[in-house]
Amino acid sequence: MRIRADLDLCQGHAVCQAEAPEVFTVPKRGQVVILRDVPDAEHRAAVADAIRYCPTRALSIADDGATDPSPKGTD
């Protein structure tokens, strides 16, 4: 699990910082800076909220190459 930010979408609303200040910061008149791109387990719920509430959908989670244990079509 790795956090990604699309800086083309980020408008600096700082909702992410409000939800997870240990993970995100947004400088005044700036864009998001990810402080921990691989969050600890204790921060994952806050990170999920930050991603969910981002008004421009600039944040996402990358899987880091982990594979799904049950590929599609192999029920």
Side-chain angles (χ1 to χ4, degrees):
M1 170 180 182
R2 183 174 302 277
I3 303 168
R4 300 216 177 179
D6 184 336
L7 297 181
D8 289 333
L9 295 176
C10 180
Q11 295 178 2
H13 294 283
V15 173
C16 54
Q17 179 177 303
E19 293 294 332
E22 303 85 9
V23 180
F24 304 101
T25 189
V26 180
K28 193 170 191 171
R29 296 186 182 152
Q31 293 179 307
V32 65
V33 175
I34 300 171
L35 302 173
R36 299 178 187 191
D37 63 340
V38 180
D40 299 332
E42 67 190 63
H43 296 116
R44 288 187 181 180
V47 168
D49 286 343
I51 292 169
R52 180 179 306 117
Y53 299 126
C54 177
T56 61
R57 301 292 184 233
L59 299 172
S60 62
I61 294 289
D63 205 6
D64 279 350
T67 57
D68 184 356
S70 56
K72 293 181 181 178
T74 61
D75 294 25

